[in-house]
Amino acid sequence: MRKYVYTFIDGVAEGKGAWRDLLGGKGAGLAEMTALGIRVPPGFTISTEACRAYFAAGNRFPEGLWEEVLAALGRVEAAMNLRYGDPARPLLLSVRSGAPVSMPGMLDTVLNLGLNDDTVQGLIAASGNPRFAYDAYRRFVTMFGNVVLGVPHEAFEKLLEAAKQRAGVEADHELPAEALKALIAPMKALIREKTGRDFPEAPSEQLRLSIAAVFASWYNDRAVAYRQLHRIPETMGTAVNVQAMVFGNLGDDSGTGVVFTRNPATGEKGLFGEFLLNAQGEDVVAGIRTPQPVSALRQAMPEVYAELEAVCQRLERHFRDMQDVEFTVQARVLYLLQTRTGKRTAPAAVRIAVDMVHEGLITQREALLRVEPEHIDQLLHPMVDPQATVTVIGRGLPASPGAACGQVVFSAAEAVRRHARGAAVILVRQETSPEDIRGMSAAAGILTARGGMTSHAAVVARGMGKCCVVGCQELSIHEEERYCQLGGHVIREGDILTLDGATGRVILGEAPLTTAELGAHFAELMGWADAHRRLGVRSNADTPHDAEASRRFGAEGIGLCRTEHMFFAADRIMAVRQMIIADDAAQRQQALRQIQAMQKEDFKAIFRIMDGLPVTIRLLDPPLHEFLPHTAEEIDALAAYMQQPAHALRQRVEALREANPMLGHRGCRLGITRPEIYKMQVRAILEAACELTRQGVQVLPEIMIPLVSHVQELAVIKRDVQEVAKQVLQEQGVTVPYLVGTMIELPRAALTAGAIAREAEFFSFGTNDLTQTCFGLSRDDAGSFLPYYLEHGILPEDPFVVLDEEGVGELVRVGVERGRQTRPQLKVGICGEHGGEPRSVAFCHRIGLDYVSCSPYRVPVARLAAAHAALQAESPAKAPESEG
Amino acid sequence: MRKYVYTFIDGVAEGKGAWRDLLGGKGAGLAEMTALGIRVPPGFTISTEACRAYFAAGNRFPEGLWEEVLAALGRVEAAMNLRYGDPARPLLLSVRSGAPVSMPGMLDTVLNLGLNDDTVQGLIAASGNPRFAYDAYRRFVTMFGNVVLGVPHEAFEKLLEAAKQRAGVEADHELPAEALKALIAPMKALIREKTGRDFPEAPSEQLRLSIAAVFASWYNDRAVAYRQLHRIPETMGTAVNVQAMVFGNLGDDSGTGVVFTRNPATGEKGLFGEFLLNAQGEDVVAGIRTPQPVSALRQAMPEVYAELEAVCQRLERHFRDMQDVEFTVQARVLYLLQTRTGKRTAPAAVRIAVDMVHEGLITQREALLRVEPEHIDQLLHPMVDPQATVTVIGRGLPASPGAACGQVVFSAAEAVRRHARGAAVILVRQETSPEDIRGMSAAAGILTARGGMTSHAAVVARGMGKCCVVGCQELSIHEEERYCQLGGHVIREGDILTLDGATGRVILGEAPLTTAELGAHFAELMGWADAHRRLGVRSNADTPHDAEASRRFGAEGIGLCRTEHMFFAADRIMAVRQMIIADDAAQRQQALRQIQAMQKEDFKAIFRIMDGLPVTIRLLDPPLHEFLPHTAEEIDALAAYMQQPAHALRQRVEALREANPMLGHRGCRLGITRPEIYKMQVRAILEAACELTRQGVQVLPEIMIPLVSHVQELAVIKRDVQEVAKQVLQEQGVTVPYLVGTMIELPRAALTAGAIAREAEFFSFGTNDLTQTCFGLSRDDAGSFLPYYLEHGILPEDPFVVLDEEGVGELVRVGVERGRQTRPQLKVGICGEHGGEPRSVAFCHRIGLDYVSCSPYRVPVARLAAAHAALQAESPAKAPESEG
């Protein structure tokens, strides 16, 4: 027969820390701590296998499970010298979920099992504290009624509020024992009324139903949504941990807390966390009471604090990572309730990883895999410009770093709606709950009025790498009326706020943002990443400013320099419009002469900065309409500039409008029908290159032809390019090694890459456009259905964010394969936005690209992602989960 | 050493009829006729190999060629008992091009070689006809000067015109011998003036230069253009035929003519052609003099006519196909100058093929391969409705059947321009020349003032299957001023004319057109086609009217019934717009209820007609913007209909506008976000099917989901379809066997066809959209560059016309392969417009599709193309060329 239950009692555990899949994260941690001799309330873990068997059996306990539970319970009773359901010396139990992957707050938990009208008397006798006992009892009835029987929490809250009014008190803990006792019967009546069944007095029934409820919570809505969001398989299931209760709310020699073994925001070594005297653990996590720093424990019970410090150090050395530890002190005895790898901010992740290498705890390889590439992105997040004068209207806790600026909204739904329309939003909530997950994901920043550094909002925001300020207590929120008040200001929905996640400041309006300084830890880690990666990393940079950022962030060249972005400057747009719109060659030539001089200066500036590194310049690729004048004023201005009658110009503009500009007269199509444009650009590139080469700058231009669908397009243009190049090089008397290649951004180009590689000296996959054409999906128009698709799991990811490996990826794979068949030395890169997305980078590594190119600020992300890809290819073990 | 020259003299030929690639079509025909003992002027063929060697050697005669020419010339001299260049008994030669594939009029020819001031005297002595001799001489100088030395023809014409004025005559043949003689010196002076060199008096020099000129004509502009148009390889080269001249212009016992062995317009058996007494052959072909019917020869020289009839019959039986024969009668002696497979109209092709099977000349298989599928399209071309009252303003010769209606243009360039803008044009010319090829190709119909049934315009138009009326002698054309006059009417450029190619009528304005009756020959041939093909043929039919045409043309089902086409009817569009635009479900439901009833009636009508055959119905696939009201009036009308304020509706419409509607919120994306639309359609389909099934009609509905890119889209919709289907079938108490499948019209769908086939019971490749997305090419916008691409050979074909096998075809191939891997019995078809294009049909056959679906009028074309594909797959021999 299968074994479903694994005990951990008094230093002996049946399970092991490595059995996370079987025991869940919490269960594995409890087993491991028990085996280490750390004090843990005795208990047992019901395995995920039991959970799966429960579902497989049609939501019934599989054969033998209940018997195993009872046997394990007997051993817990023996260890505690108490009996579950014994009116004289009752053992109370907690029943907690614990999936193999952390799903904070998503699954259910029931505490204080075993209480009924009889056993509560035993608890009074044992604790000598009737108020504590009745408080535990009414909490249990509430929690059981809500979690197991499905009665809304608010209904219980109403009874509690009424009791407080009757007693004339404000806070829960001011209610006397009698008042608490008087709540029990109405709460049970409420359960009967809402569910038609009685609250189960029998402790065994309480246990059986609670275990089943925790299993069932695997499929509650928020858990399903969370798994979708985090790509956690449905089949995993959750374990259930049944433990003897210990109480932090027995009096002022008790308490509960959460600590990190290092500072999760900065990575600094030393205990960091929170403690609440005379409280149950749930009070801290739920953010209902704002706790004190953990140093409060040192003052109150120095010997307990010292023990905690020692235990934490031991756990960290044992698990070789920073731990997030929950503990309870019951009458000066320290119990560890949970340990797991602690979530941390990006700077902390970097610092901890690097420090631990120096401490000899982990290897460089491990350190690299400990830092998620997305963490690096957070490091590079903007912060509020320290130089700027800003209007600070309030302060909260700096729960997750970065800075964010956006429209204020007061509900998750509104956040999703406005985000879908392209707005940056700041989600402002009393406190967040798991129901808010999608809104938090959509928001640029999160601000809460309540809760501490380990509240839901803080934990989730750090996980998402999102700027978050919590516990801004002056903030009063009027959700229904859609406004809030802070520092004497009224902020309505849609008004702009800026959050500073580094300091906790709340700033009125849009504050100027700037980027963070990257410290020595970062530089060291990046150095290791560069040593381990095979994939090159370039940047997409259109301006000297971008080029400078690229070098600063370690790009090894420019993979995409979009010339059209140079064309929108106010002092150029007229000439550019004339070039596009003119229907006779003379007019076009006149415009081209003007633009050529400007382009040459653009290229010189960029080449100079990129001295010694390749620069891929894409020739003009405008969806035509982007260059057309739209308003009557624009047309009039252009008509005056071109000395043409406005009505004629209007007709011409009208004739150039396209039904589907994305699939229209753009890219090399324009280069072919108006060859003088590309010739001008090539001349500008090569004149710039020659002039700098003479000055000793090493220029490596790669001329890239966009939107090729047929090799013949490239052949025709390449002939022109070579002809101009020959002329320029002769005129200038300098040799510049240049390449001519193409974007592969249309399915046909990928499929016929073998033919195209006859002409192309390099390929760069334009995966943005390739995604559009492969899916037949206009990015501009997808807003009306793509969010629906993602929400309903019709597409697993937004394909514009994560490269679609099955479809678009197959085109890339085929393109590389066929291109290299024709030209084995073909240089192949990717320059879509996927080039900076870690999973997409891993894909690029696997299929053998030479480099990825991404926005300058994503370059470090890509460098680390490339190192991850290389390390994971060496030994395909998964990166350790960053959460327990 | 290579042999370059092949003689054919007095019944002995060194070459063979089968050596077309080596000897060219004309040379092979001459060799074959010689070997058959048919009288042919003796001569020799310089092979295409010599031509290629000439180019390879840098436009120089390859070693040994000239020596071989001289040796062969010697044998011709012996046979004729004349000597080339002999002042006393001069042999005159013709030098004619002759490529392996007919390129009528594209390559050069020089006649009457060997004449100079000395030999002309010998010709006078031999013919006793000084006028004839000087006429030949001045023709030779003109032709040589023009073709070999590049002096414009018009310059010679001017001299001729001046001579006629001086002589006071109107026609060339009225010029007396002296006047002709007097032309020689000025013509030679003209050559010296224009070229700086003397006219070569030496006959050997004349021969050498003429051969070189014919070689060189392979690369003249019009030949290059023609080869592009007809996809003839550049490397082929032309042969050169050197023959003793025979003269049809020696007097009234001489003449020249062209005959077909059967009527090339109708296919009727018996000689059909033209004859011109006392004329050179070029007079007929060039359309300069309008010839008489060949029966004129019977009257003038009955014994020669009888011999011609016998020879023609012999040739036809020998070549087993209808022949197009050129002949010259010199002093009552019949010489055959050329035989080749005759071009024919579509009805003639069908009739000849079927007749020849009945005559035992060819097999059914050969008959099928003799008829090009595109010929069938001509059969189905419209004709002028015989019932209609029309304004006939003139008449010409009915040179190529069909009827056409369009804007009049007077130059090929203008024809191309207007055609590119989507206009149907009628090209009106004095006479056409090879320079007009592109204009003729662009025109819907061609009208000429001069020329006969074998003139350039007539031959080319028949080849193109284009309506053509020639020799409309009343027509006076003012090309420069862009108007013409006919029957007292002035027709300006852009005015509308209708041509009736069946009767030769020229009709003012737009005449109503109708389709031809298809005769018994056609039915018989189609029967053979059906017996030989494997590929099914369905039709794209959206209406009962289309469905009826489909059955009439032999479709085996409907492969694509587009429901949105049903939605544009004036009485529905309001409800449809409401359905699309409504943003609340109640409003949408109201619209849907209305539409459902209409849709059901649509489907019933179509199902009834298609009794027993499958009908694939595509659910709504609108690029959203097609359904939006555009003008202010439309918006106001809809606002009134929907009882909404117009400004709110305008905002809503604005919000629904898309940047790239082709890639927008359409197809299954709309079906998913607004599921009630598809549910309504499915209900309408199945209720219609159930009601008819109860009436004994066999209904086989196939429900097709458009624009699927990910299997999950199909899965979600299929669940809805099945749910509705279950309800309807239960309500109706009838069983209807229905399928659910998908369009494969996005690259991603093709690439992930393996996954999609898990859900799809059939695939239909939508190759129109697949072409758009594979190429990244909007059909609506391609007009600004695609014509340029085709003209410059950047794309070999318009991919919207001929399926691009390399790119789009690969997606189809991969889609079929992967789909069938998952579901071996998957039914797979194609429903893009390529389904009726013969080369694309052949591709569909090769990759194993089950059927093609095309517009009803293309169904017979597809049936024959499918038979061709099957026959060619059996034995991959090429279909015989239809031209010699």
Side-chain angles (χ1 to χ4, degrees), chain B residues 89 96 164 186 291 311 367 448-449 457 547 558 585 636 701 710 720:
Chain B
R89 298 182 49 79
R96 288 184 166 94
K164 285 194 280 188
V311 165
T448 71
I558 291 179
D636 290 345
H710 193 287
D720 283 355

Side-chain angles (χ1 to χ4, degrees), chain A residues 658-663 665 669 712-713 746-748 774-776 778 781 784 789 794 804 806 810 818, chain B residues 658-663 665 669 712-713 746 748 773-776 778 781 784 789 794 804 806 810 818:
Chain A
E658 298 188 305
N660 296 285
M662 192 54 62
L663 308 177
H665 193 177
R669 296 164 189 169
Q712 203 52 30
E713 297 174 304
L746 298 172
R748 194 181 191 284
C774 183
F775 274 89
S778 159
D781 302 312
S784 53
Y789 270 40
I794 293 170
D804 161 51
E806 274 179 20
E810 159 127 22
R818 295 184 185 174
Chain B
E658 297 188 305
N660 296 284
M662 191 54 62
L663 308 177
H665 194 176
R669 295 163 190 171
Q712 203 52 30
E713 298 174 304
L746 297 173
R748 195 180 190 286
T773 46
C774 184
F775 275 89
S778 159
D781 303 311
S784 53
Y789 270 40
I794 293 171
D804 162 52
E806 275 178 21
E810 159 127 23
R818 295 184 186 173

Side-chain angles (χ1 to χ4, degrees), chain A residues 555-578:
Chain A
E556 297 159 308
I558 291 179
L560 177 62
C561 175
R562 284 163 290 219
T563 53
E564 58 271 23
H565 285 203
M566 303 172 177
F567 282 7
F568 284 108
D571 57 335
R572 303 184 176 186
I573 187 68
M574 283 294 180
V576 172
R577 283 181 173 158
Q578 176 172 356

Side-chain angles (χ1 to χ4, degrees), chain A residues 625 657-666 668-670 672-673 675 707 709-710 712-713 716 746-749 751-752 755 772-782 784-785 788-789 792-796 804-808 810-811 813-814 818, chain B residues 625 657-666 668-670 672-673 675 707 709-710 712-713 716 746-749 751-752 755 772-782 784-785 788-789 792-796 804-808 810-811 813-814 818:
Chain A
H625 72 116
R657 281 212 201 293
E658 298 188 305
N660 296 285
M662 192 54 62
L663 308 177
H665 193 177
R666 52 178 284 236
C668 69
R669 296 164 189 169
L670 202 72
I672 284 173
T673 56
L707 213 75
S709 66
H710 193 287
Q712 203 52 30
E713 297 174 304
V716 165
L746 298 172
R748 194 181 191 284
L751 294 168
T752 63
Q772 296 199 86
T773 45
C774 183
F775 274 89
L777 188 61
S778 159
R779 198 171 180 170
D780 293 338
D781 302 312
S784 53
F785 53 93
Y788 183 98
Y789 270 40
H792 293 76
I794 293 170
L795 286 182
D804 161 51
E805 291 187 23
E806 274 179 20
V808 179
E810 159 127 22
L811 288 174
R813 198 183 52 66
V814 160
R818 295 184 185 174
Chain B
H625 72 116
R657 281 211 201 292
E658 297 188 305
N660 296 284
M662 191 54 62
L663 308 177
H665 194 176
R666 52 178 285 236
C668 70
R669 295 163 190 171
L670 202 72
I672 283 173
T673 56
L707 214 75
S709 66
H710 193 287
Q712 203 52 30
E713 298 174 304
V716 165
L746 297 173
R748 195 180 190 286
L751 293 169
T752 62
Q772 296 200 88
T773 46
C774 184
F775 275 89
L777 189 60
S778 159
R779 199 171 181 169
D780 293 337
D781 303 311
S784 53
F785 53 92
Y788 183 99
Y789 270 40
H792 292 77
I794 293 171
L795 287 182
D804 162 52
E805 291 187 21
E806 275 178 21
V808 180
E810 159 127 23
L811 288 174
R813 198 183 51 67
V814 160
R818 295 184 186 173

Side-chain angles (χ1 to χ4, degrees), chain A residues 186-478:
Chain A
M187 282 181 168
K188 288 185 180 169
L190 173 69
I191 289 173
R192 194 174 315 112
E193 179 202 328
K194 295 280 183 187
T195 66
R197 57 196 282 192
D198 284 327
F199 170 80
E201 298 281 332
S204 70
E205 190 63 8
Q206 292 169 3
L207 180 58
R208 179 193 273 274
L209 289 173
S210 296
I211 292 170
V214 173
F215 283 155
S217 70
W218 181 251
Y219 283 113
N220 72 34
D221 287 350
R222 59 180 196 253
V224 170
Y226 187 91
R227 285 197 295 272
Q228 275 181 15
L229 208 64
H230 291 80
R231 295 175 295 276
I232 299 168
E234 287 288 310
T235 52
M236 194 179 257
T238 183
V240 180
N241 298 289
V242 179
Q243 269 179 293
M245 282 296 297
V246 290
F247 297 98
N249 53 347
L250 265 183
D252 285 347
D253 59 353
S254 300
T256 190
V258 177
V259 287
F260 294 87
T261 57
R262 306 191 185 212
N263 185 318
T266 65
E268 203 180 346
K269 220 178 157 176
L271 289 196
F272 178 92
E274 292 161 336
F275 180 71
L276 208 50
L277 212 62
N278 194 13
Q280 281 264 57
E282 303 305 304
D283 299 340
V284 181
V285 175
I288 289 170
R289 281 168 61 190
T290 302
Q292 299 171 277
V294 72
S295 52
L297 174 61
R298 176 148 51 183
Q299 288 171 340
M301 293 174 262
E303 76 294 350
V304 175
Y305 185 83
E307 186 185 349
L308 177 63
E309 249 185 334
V311 165
C312 283
Q313 236 173 48
R314 204 161 149 214
L315 286 171
E316 197 183 72
R317 296 207 79 82
H318 179 73
F319 287 108
R320 302 166 67 244
D321 203 351
M322 186 264 265
Q323 296 296 299
D324 166 356
V325 169
E326 287 180 24
F327 64 94
T328 285
V329 180
Q330 177 174 320
R332 294 188 181 263
V333 180
L334 175 70
Y335 290 93
L336 274 280
L337 300 186
Q338 172 161 301
T339 189
R340 53 183 174 183
T341 305
K343 296 207 183 198
R344 62 206 76 181
T345 63
V350 171
R351 176 161 176 183
I352 291 170
V354 173
D355 281 350
M356 282 188 172
V357 171
H358 292 306
E359 292 165 24
L361 233 59
I362 59 175
T363 64
Q364 282 183 13
R365 188 178 179 288
E366 285 172 310
L368 285 167
L369 291 173
R370 286 278 170 89
V371 182
E372 288 296 321
E374 284 302 344
H375 279 153
I376 298 298
D377 188 41
Q378 296 171 40
L379 274 191
L380 307 173
H381 267 167
M383 59 186 201
V384 175
D385 185 347
Q387 313 292 327
T389 311
V390 296
T391 312
V392 177
I393 58 171
R395 273 179 193 276
L397 303 172
S400 182
C405 179
Q407 302 173 7
V408 167
V409 298
F410 298 101
S411 71
E414 187 62 24
V416 170
R417 261 194 297 279
R418 294 198 180 218
H419 175 69
R421 284 190 241 124
V425 301
I426 303 290
L427 177 61
V428 177
R429 299 287 285 158
Q430 199 68 28
E431 55 195 317
T432 64
S433 71
E435 278 80 9
D436 292 323
I437 283 285
R438 288 196 192 285
M440 297 173 77
S441 171
I446 297 150
L447 171 64
T448 71
R450 289 162 76 175
M453 291 293 280
T454 52
S455 65
H456 179 266
V459 171
V460 172
R462 277 199 295 273
M464 290 178 173
K466 229 171 256 281
C467 164
C468 178
V469 173
V470 299
C472 177
Q473 301 188 335
E474 292 167 73
L475 179 67
S476 79
I477 301 176
H478 307 267

Side-chain angles (χ1 to χ4, degrees), chain B residues 318-503:
Chain B
H318 179 73
F319 288 107
R320 305 168 64 244
D321 203 352
M322 185 265 266
Q323 295 296 298
D324 165 358
V325 168
E326 286 180 27
F327 66 94
T328 285
V329 181
Q330 177 175 319
R332 293 187 181 266
V333 180
L334 174 70
Y335 290 94
L336 273 282
L337 300 186
Q338 172 162 300
T339 189
R340 54 181 175 184
T341 305
K343 297 207 184 200
R344 62 205 75 179
T345 64
V350 171
R351 176 160 180 185
I352 292 170
V354 173
D355 281 350
M356 282 188 172
V357 172
H358 292 305
E359 291 165 26
L361 233 57
I362 59 174
T363 63
Q364 282 184 12
R365 188 178 180 287
E366 284 171 311
L368 285 167
L369 291 173
R370 287 277 170 90
V371 181
E372 288 297 320
E374 283 302 341
H375 279 153
I376 298 298
D377 188 42
Q378 295 170 42
L379 276 189
L380 307 172
H381 267 169
M383 59 186 203
V384 175
D385 185 349
Q387 313 293 328
T389 311
V390 296
T391 312
V392 178
I393 59 172
R395 274 181 191 275
L397 302 172
S400 181
C405 179
Q407 302 173 5
V408 167
V409 298
F410 299 102
S411 71
E414 187 61 26
V416 170
R417 260 193 297 280
R418 293 198 180 219
H419 174 69
R421 283 189 241 124
V425 301
I426 303 291
L427 178 60
V428 178
R429 299 286 286 157
Q430 199 67 28
E431 55 196 315
T432 64
S433 72
E435 279 80 9
D436 292 322
I437 282 286
R438 287 194 193 286
M440 297 173 76
S441 170
I446 298 150
L447 170 64
T448 71
R450 290 163 76 178
M453 290 294 280
T454 53
S455 66
H456 179 266
V459 171
V460 172
R462 278 199 295 272
M464 290 179 173
K466 229 170 258 281
C467 163
C468 178
V469 173
V470 299
C472 177
Q473 302 187 335
E474 291 166 73
L475 180 66
S476 80
I477 301 178
H478 308 267
E479 185 183 336
E480 283 298 305
E481 296 79 19
R482 304 197 179 183
Y483 74 95
C484 65
Q485 288 170 296
L486 181 60
H489 294 81
V490 172
I491 298 123
R492 301 190 181 283
E493 189 173 272
D495 289 354
I496 304 292
L497 278 187
T498 301
L499 299 184
D500 182 350
T503 62

